[in-house]
Amino acid sequence: MKPLCIVVLTILISGQIFADDDRPNIVLIMADDMGFSDIGCYGGEIQTPNIDSLAEGGLRFTQFYNTGRCCPTRASLMTGLYPHASGVGHMVYSDRGVGYHPYLNKNCVTIAEALGSSGYRTMMAGKWHVGHQQGQWPTDRGFQHFYGIHIHVDSYFKVLPGCPVYYNDQLAIAPTVNPPNTLHPEQEWYTTDVFTDWSIKFLKESQSDERPFFLYTAYNSPHWPLEAPQENIDRCQGRYEGGWDVLRAQKLQKMKEMGIVQNGTQLSPSGCPEWSELTPDDQQELAFRREIYAAQIERMDENIGRIIQTLRESEQLDHTLIFFLSDNGCCAEGGMFGYKWNENSKENFADWRNESGRSSSMGEAWSNASNTPFRMHKRWVHEGGIATPLIAHWPQRIETPGGLTHQPGHVIDILATCLDVADAAYPEEFNGHQIKQSAGKSLVPAFLQPQQVQDRTLFWEHEAHAAMRDGDWKLVTLNAHSPESWELYNLSEERTETNDLRSEHPERVDSMIARWTNWAEEANVLPWPKDRPKKPKK
């Protein structure tokens, strides 16, 4: 193993069970804006046989969390720090000071930097979204091979203005309505396919390299706009005529049967119109939007199957740790029924099929169904915004394939796990900068003993939506500026956050608020950006 330039081990390797010359490959696959219960192996109706196969041969986490929003989750995923500590406490479109920069700071180390320094080949395809200025790119943060977009990817068929495609650190495709599909010129450009093509290219190139590899494939699916190949949409036709109320009930029942949620779990109030109260025309239009959303996920599943097959053909599948998760809960943006609900319809679909941007979305009602049985959506830190499926597939180490673990976890744990299995050190310094201590814990103990659950204390903040989980207790608010707005739930009794216990446990609430505030000050959440003194003009 090649040592880091300054190596101090701060993560305990689980028994030092991995030999340097036989360390596993790691493949990290992330969906974008996908709900907790969308995929089949988490109770969803969407057909995802390839993702389900990872679950059948791996381990599903039922209480795993992201940060509730795109950029902060990607920052925590890459660095093992809470997002503000990594510098990206919000989105990457403005700089509001420490904790709220539009890029990863120099006091964190990425998975790619740590693994690369430990002798891994590091590769990425897809959406980066944690720094889009030169010096902040994947190739600046440890990825030796990259193909994708540095910022948002609000189109599947186009390369939008401000969102050029890069190959390593070179411009590959400038903004255009007809981007060339470089690896498959005979095929239409579709981001899910293209990001997979390049992932597979990187995997095949790694076969001539004796080093183990780390591949990060970051899809923009199923983030709006609603855009999918017609053949995938056709397969979903007629699936949603029963509406969101029926779908939520069906999903919850299946989740109970699978053991994803407790048998006593009840649906959270939806706050959405009842399907039966809508006109037949509106029902048809809304069902069509859900069909496209499902088609996006099914296309992504097909492409994940291509990655799995590439690993299988190269006899690397059993020797590769694969993660699959989502960056946040499903998205309610665009209103109750979605962007341009009154303008873009099934009848004129040909006109907006690849319009891109905010041309279409599912809206709040279908998002609520995707996040079954939880409350809220992306951007909030109630369970619907932060709960993600996490599948870990690693035949060489996972003891009970097809099983579940109720061990709480967070995206800050992915870096710790990668370094653990790679027998790699977490540095105190990197490239001359002091590195903050990782907040994550390795998930390897859960791989080996999935039924053994350890309490965790976890924290969240995004746009003053804030939360703390301490064991089974969760404190959460829609407005951290208001001391009276905090809610308290016992997640061992119900994760749908419908029975607020604040009035019954005032001392616990006060203690948890104090602990959240202390964390927020240490993690660069506080002071709030608007409360910070302005820098004097030069």
Side-chain angles (χ1 to χ4, degrees):
M1 181 179 71
K2 297 179 181 178
L4 289 172
C5 45
I6 299 180
V7 176
V8 179
L9 186 63
T10 57
I11 296 175
L12 295 177
I13 307 302
S14 297
Q16 298 289 346
I17 57 177
F18 307 107
D20 288 355
D21 59 355
D22 195 32
R23 294 179 296 169
N25 308 307
I26 303 169
V27 173
L28 175 58
I29 303 173
M30 189 158 69
D32 194 347
D33 285 14
M34 189 187 76
F36 179 74
S37 56
D38 273 331
I39 56 179
C41 56
Y42 276 76
E45 84 292 352
I46 298 174
Q47 303 300 301
T48 53
N50 294 295
I51 297 172
D52 296 349
S53 74
L54 295 177
E56 291 165 6
L59 183 67
R60 283 167 292 167
F61 286 72
T62 65
Q63 299 192 43
F64 202 80
Y65 294 105
N66 48 50
T67 75
R69 192 82 179 273
C70 174
C71 300
T73 287
R74 292 163 202 272
S76 286
L77 182 74
M78 284 291 100
T79 67
L81 301 176
Y82 285 109
H84 306 76
S86 76
V88 186
H90 195 249
M91 302 299 281
V92 294
Y93 305 109
S94 65
D95 194 333
R96 297 189 291 164
V98 176
Y100 298 88
H101 293 306
Y103 52 84
L104 297 175
N105 61 39
K106 297 295 186 181
N107 300 115
C108 63
V109 64
T110 69
I111 299 174
E113 287 171 328
L115 290 181
S117 297
S118 184
Y120 268 69
R121 181 187 181 101
T122 58
M123 312 171 291
M124 178 187 171
K127 175 180 174 180
W128 176 238
H129 217 187
V130 284
H132 52 274
Q133 300 298 327
Q134 193 163 11
Q136 306 162 3
W137 296 346
T139 47
D140 299 309
R141 297 310 305 248
F143 284 97
Q144 300 152 10
H145 306 273
F146 169 75
Y147 186 90
I149 296 174
H150 295 140
I151 196 166
H152 54 267
V153 189
D154 295 348
S155 176
Y156 293 78
F157 294 110
K158 302 176 182 177
V159 175
L160 297 180
C163 310
V165 178
Y166 275 78
Y167 178 26
N168 294 328
D169 59 355
Q170 299 296 313
L171 178 66
I173 304 176
T176 175
V177 297
N178 293 304
N181 189 332
T182 309
L183 297 181
H184 297 283
E186 75 285 0
Q187 297 177 11
E188 183 177 36
W189 170 279
Y190 186 73
T191 54
T192 307
D193 297 348
V194 171
F195 294 158
T196 304
D197 292 340
W198 282 85
S199 296
I200 290 173
K201 172 180 168 62
F202 292 152
L203 287 174
K204 290 182 175 179
E205 290 173 348
S206 73
Q207 293 175 16
S208 60
D209 191 332
E210 294 182 356
R211 295 176 294 172
F213 60 76
F214 169 61
L215 170 67
Y216 173 36
T217 300
Y219 291 113
N220 61 304
S221 176
H223 190 291
W224 50 261
L226 300 172
E227 296 182 346
Q230 190 61 48
E231 61 264 31
N232 293 96
I233 299 173
D234 290 343
R235 295 188 196 114
C236 299
Q237 186 174 358
R239 188 182 297 173
Y240 297 103
E241 294 175 353
W244 44 68
D245 299 316
V246 170
L247 179 60
R248 291 184 80 213
Q250 291 174 339
K251 291 173 74 171
L252 178 59
Q253 181 58 37
K254 191 172 181 181
M255 294 170 80
K256 291 178 180 179
E257 294 170 358
M258 289 179 163
I260 301 293
V261 297
Q262 297 178 359
N263 285 330
T265 301
Q266 301 295 315
L267 288 171
S268 60
S270 74
C272 303
E274 293 185 13
W275 186 260
S276 61
E277 296 178 350
L278 303 174
T279 67
D281 286 346
D282 283 350
Q283 289 179 349
Q284 182 183 49
E285 292 296 337
L286 289 162
F288 180 59
R289 290 197 168 211
R290 178 71 179 187
E291 289 169 6
I292 305 174
Y293 174 84
Q296 292 177 139
I297 294 178
E298 293 187 4
R299 187 69 169 210
M300 177 173 63
D301 179 78
E302 292 173 13
N303 277 279
I304 291 171
R306 295 172 59 209
I307 292 174
I308 295 170
Q309 184 61 23
T310 300
L311 293 169
R312 181 179 289 114
E313 290 174 353
S314 63
E315 299 182 348
Q316 292 294 323
L317 182 60
D318 288 351
H319 191 56
T320 301
L321 169 59
I322 303 175
F323 289 111
F324 174 79
L325 74 163
S326 180
D327 67 340
N328 43 249
C330 193
C331 176
E333 293 168 4
M336 185 61 67
F337 299 154
Y339 287 126
K340 295 191 176 181
W341 158 249
N342 293 318
E343 180 179 343
N344 288 339
S345 66
K346 185 174 183 178
E347 183 178 0
N348 68 347
F349 178 55
D351 297 334
W352 57 275
R353 170 183 177 267
N354 60 355
E355 182 181 335
S356 301
R358 288 178 168 82
S359 61
S360 56
S361 63
M362 277 203 309
E364 180 179 343
W366 280 124
S367 174
N368 184 244
S370 284
N371 296 330
T372 299
F374 302 134
R375 283 178 62 191
M376 305 305 287
H377 317 266
K378 167 188 176 180
R379 299 177 74 153
W380 286 271
V381 296
H382 285 72
E383 296 289 284
I386 59 176
T388 175
L390 175 72
I391 301 169
H393 180 275
W394 189 17
Q396 289 185 344
R397 287 287 179 249
I398 290 176
E399 297 293 322
T400 55
L404 301 170
T405 180
H406 303 301
Q407 172 63 51
H410 189 284
V411 288
I412 55 176
D413 300 331
I414 298 298
L415 177 141
T417 308
C418 290
L419 299 192
D420 191 345
V421 304
D423 194 11
Y426 185 84
E428 286 188 351
E429 292 186 10
F430 191 83
N431 287 342
H433 298 277
Q434 289 291 123
I435 302 301
K436 296 179 181 179
Q437 184 174 352
S438 173
K441 294 184 178 181
S442 174
L443 301 174
V444 169
F447 298 170
L448 303 177
Q449 295 180 302
Q451 302 310 314
Q452 186 172 341
V453 176
Q454 302 292 325
D455 284 345
R456 294 291 299 277
T457 300
L458 300 167
F459 300 92
W460 292 265
E461 189 281 331
H462 185 70
E463 297 182 338
H465 309 140
M468 172 186 176
R469 176 168 177 166
D470 186 32
D472 290 327
W473 291 95
K474 183 178 176 184
L475 186 78
V476 61
T477 180
L478 297 173
N479 182 9
H481 298 292
S482 172
E484 301 304 315
S485 68
W486 292 91
E487 307 159 13
L488 182 69
Y489 301 100
N490 187 336
L491 300 185
S492 68
E493 297 177 355
E494 52 100 21
R495 283 186 69 196
T496 51
E497 298 167 310
T498 55
N499 182 26
D500 185 0
L501 301 174
R502 175 188 174 119
S503 63
E504 299 177 26
H505 301 276
E507 292 182 359
R508 181 181 294 276
V509 170
D510 290 345
S511 173
M512 292 180 73
I513 290 175
R515 292 172 64 192
W516 180 88
T517 302
N518 183 64
W519 164 81
E521 291 172 346
E522 293 180 352
N524 296 331
V525 178
L526 298 177
W528 303 108
K530 66 181 181 61
D531 296 330
R532 297 178 180 183
K534 294 182 179 180
K535 295 180 180 179
K537 294 182 179 180
K538 294 183 179 180

